Amino acid sequence: MAEKLVPVVCPWCSVGCRFYIVSVNGYPKKIEFDYEHDTRNHGKLCPKGVSSFQYLRHPDRLKKPLKRVGERGEGKFVEISWEEAIREIAQKLKEIREKYGPEALAFLGSERCSIEENYVLQKLARALGTNNLDYVCRMCQSTAVAGKGMVLGHPGLTNPFEDILKAKVIVLWGYNPAATNPVFFGQYIEKAILDNNATLIVVDPRKTKTAKYADIHLQPYPGTDLAVALAMLNVIITEELYDKDFVAERAEGLEELAKTVEKYTPEWAEKVSGVPAELIRKAAITFATAGTAALLTNEGVNQHANGTRTVMALTEMMVLCGYFGKEGVMSGAIPGAHNGMGAGLMGIEPDALPGKFPLHAEEHKKRIEEVWGFEIPEKPGITYVEMIDAILEGKLKALYVMGTNPAKSLPNLKKVEEAFKNIEFLVVQDIFLTETARYADIVLPAAAWFEKDGTAISFERRVQRSFKAADAPGEAKPDWEIIVMLAKELGLGEYFNYSDVDDILREINRTIPPLAGATPERLKKNLQGCMIPCPDESTETPRLFVQGFLTPNGKAQLIPVEYKEPGEVPDEEYPFWLTNYRLVGHFHTGTMSHRSKSLSKRWPEEYIEINENDAKRLGIKDGDLVKVETRRAALVLKARVTPHIREGVVAVPWHWNFNYLTKDVLDEYAKMPELKTAACRISKVEG
Amino acid sequence: MGKKIFIDFRRCIACKACEVACEMEHGEARIRVFEFPDLTSVAFNCRHCEKAPCMEVCPVNALSKDEDGAVILDPLKCIGCLMCGLACPFGVPKVDEYNKIMDKCDLCAHRRAEGKLPACVSACPTEALKYGDINDVLWAREGRIIAQLKDIGDRTNVLEAYIIR
């Protein structure tokens, strides 16, 4: 038995933990911790990381291409050969393009796949003449990308993880890293708090495992964070707590911003958000006078119809206090998946070229077209949620889904199911028969993360190589190989002349200047990887904004932000705020974690958290069945009565059926759906 | 005194990485995370007692201490009489229903033989679990407190004033 240790990047969240797969003749036997290299996780892993090889050999793995024989959604398929599957897909895509034009086609990429695979998929879409491209960043980070982009010119995490250890104040806003990024929390945030006496401010309607460590805990109603942020801006400006030199030198627009936030006093914010005005004032003063601060956000801020505005207000708070470009500060949003940042950088977006350059950036477009050898379509495509509407309107006829599960992750799922029942042609390429794949015409079996070579970019902007540690089951193939096969069948083979992932990465090095230095050779040699931008092989960029911001004039833009309510607020009929959260043992729609024995056994089912006073009023006891109802749908869940959620708010872990309840209202800038809140009513199920 | 796993419950976030890591090594988790209503949580495993009641009551000498001081069960000697489970004040030894013998933490003997840390300690993302000698662990804590006091003293002269008085 040849046992070998293969270095991999963890396939779950975006911290970029490294470890080994112990592989025996291509079979993943177990994991081993990597304490030898200078890894970001210092050898440590969370429960998902430790058990991350379990789902690889689950009997549900797709092993052969499938063709639908039953009704859509029924899940009845027959096995077909790869030749037949690829031929049929190519034929149908060509047919639809000829009949309705290229804009009747759309492609979804994946944060679960490597940068190489996302790059190849977006290239195929553009070779076919459409920019109808997107991936799940639209549902978790797009508001942060838009908001920070407008203020700073770049959405990335600004500093290396070590800098958080030197921060005097840490603000975790709509972010519960103790559950979502335990290694990042344990190795950096918790050490800053317990060992280096950093003050922690948490903003979350729930008292989470993270909030347990908080010195100040603000509990706004879901989606009213913007009110708290505006009030903090008000305090910082009116009490002149901001860094005057920094603002004078490196920002513009203070006067307009000051005028706008004048009316957003802490007392006003208390009425809107339910957070005591005095606590908001205390948080603002603590934050502004700390000297160094880290402000990290996540879905609690992002997934709202006012998400971009909130991100802008929070970023402006950081700018005002001068918390950029030095040690001991940090600003960023934390993508939920291991290659969330990398996939976006590959241009798998309807209005962005590889490198995240705008679609109309002529100079970049020309450079990329020269490398590719064909023209990039002019017209911007449509975003993720808009694709569902386009299917229902009959404009979008074919959808190609790579490694993502919209039939469970999108809001207002009944509408999504309706769309997938009516689409003309749906292809799903994945490792399991997901909820989405059940509606597909053709299902293609893909290799999982440990079963292929590939590169991922962590939220620290670190590019890291993961190596093939196991053989894929049956006839499953790496995603990039499948796309190349399809491109050849479509007659586009000349543009997809790759024999391995290194060929693709070399083309990425040529196409995307900030990634020019992340060559296959460099990444294979250095398991630690390098932090982008890395314009050549000997450089990397640990800290952003040391000199200036990436806006056209190098100054941060303090754009005035007005308050806007979340997409749906409680009323007499639906009096409760409903929100969701993640469990430490599950990942997104559960495609993999629900199939990991050690995880599903510990976190087996969904439930609803209700404040003890609300529960008493409604006669609900711990363990009772409760009906939770929104204007879209109803679920029956077990009640968990707790003091750790604020009155008037109920919360459900989102890995099961939560999205039947949510509304598909979108953020005006980023088109992010409001996944984080809805108005609901609850009642005890008798009997 | 042998090395043991020490638990700093302030750092535990109930992520259960220790449980899952143990399960990956042994098929069943031999460490458990207990969560309390006030959000405190603590991972708990065999204490490998200096005077281990389980060892003292075992009628067939299936339990013994290895060279690192870990209480180890010999599966070939164990008759599944449950005496060790009864005697343990922490209720640690469990019945392995399949083999009808007892099962307990051995501080990952196979990993220690290779110079590695027990799996639960290796995984613990917050370092709430520490493997070491009690004196080293206590000294590390004492040292940190002294360092903090000294730091406060350096900044405020409080310590100096206190010492002078």
Side-chain angles (χ1 to χ4, degrees), chain A residues 461-506:
Chain A
R461 295 179 283 111
R462 189 172 290 275
V463 194
Q464 295 185 107
R465 184 74 151 187
S466 189
F467 298 88
K468 182 181 169 176
D471 293 334
E475 295 176 17
K477 291 178 192 295
D479 292 276
W480 71 267
E481 270 186 52
I482 302 172
I483 305 293
V484 170
M485 276 164 68
L486 178 60
K488 285 181 177 156
E489 186 68 28
L490 282 161
L492 302 164
E494 58 176 312
Y495 309 125
F496 293 83
N497 200 10
Y498 311 114
S499 51
D500 56 27
V501 284
D502 289 356
D503 285 348
I504 307 171
L505 185 56
R506 282 190 198 100

Side-chain angles (χ1 to χ4, degrees), chain A residues 40-189:
Chain A
R40 313 313 293 148
N41 49 318
H42 306 139
K44 300 294 183 182
L45 290 176
C46 75
K48 293 199 286 282
V50 179
S51 63
S52 56
F53 65 96
Q54 271 187 338
Y55 65 83
L56 290 186
R57 299 287 152 162
H58 193 280
D60 287 356
R61 278 295 298 275
L62 294 168
K63 298 180 187 76
K64 281 197 72 142
L66 304 173
K67 184 178 176 173
R68 183 170 56 82
V69 287
E71 290 297 310
R72 287 183 187 279
E74 219 179 15
K76 283 190 186 158
F77 295 92
V78 287
E79 291 183 350
I80 54 172
S81 69
W82 269 108
E83 292 71 30
E84 197 184 342
I86 295 290
R87 194 172 56 237
E88 198 154 318
I89 296 168
Q91 212 171 345
K92 196 73 191 169
L93 292 181
K94 272 189 206 166
E95 219 178 273
I96 289 173
R97 190 172 68 144
E98 267 156 40
K99 202 166 161 195
Y100 306 102
E103 277 146 35
L105 311 175
F107 293 78
L108 290 176
S110 175
E111 82 293 3
R112 319 282 316 131
C113 298
S114 65
I115 61 170
E116 292 88 347
E117 289 166 333
N118 283 290
Y119 178 83
V120 173
L121 184 72
Q122 60 84 31
K123 189 174 170 184
L124 175 67
R126 282 164 172 151
L128 283 167
T130 182
N131 283 313
N132 287 341
L133 274 165
D134 216 344
Y135 79 113
V136 291
C137 176
R138 189 67 52 196
M139 261 130 27
C140 54
Q141 298 299 319
S142 58
T143 47
V145 172
K148 289 189 81 181
M150 280 192 271
V151 179
L152 307 175
H154 192 285
L157 188 80
T158 55
N159 290 54
F161 290 165
E162 282 75 12
D163 278 6
I164 208 163
L165 295 168
K166 297 168 192 151
K168 294 274 190 286
V169 163
I170 299 170
V171 184
L172 301 176
W173 199 306
Y175 177 33
N176 176 17
T180 51
N181 307 111
V183 174
F184 175 58
F185 183 79
Q187 292 301 302
Y188 300 95
I189 298 174

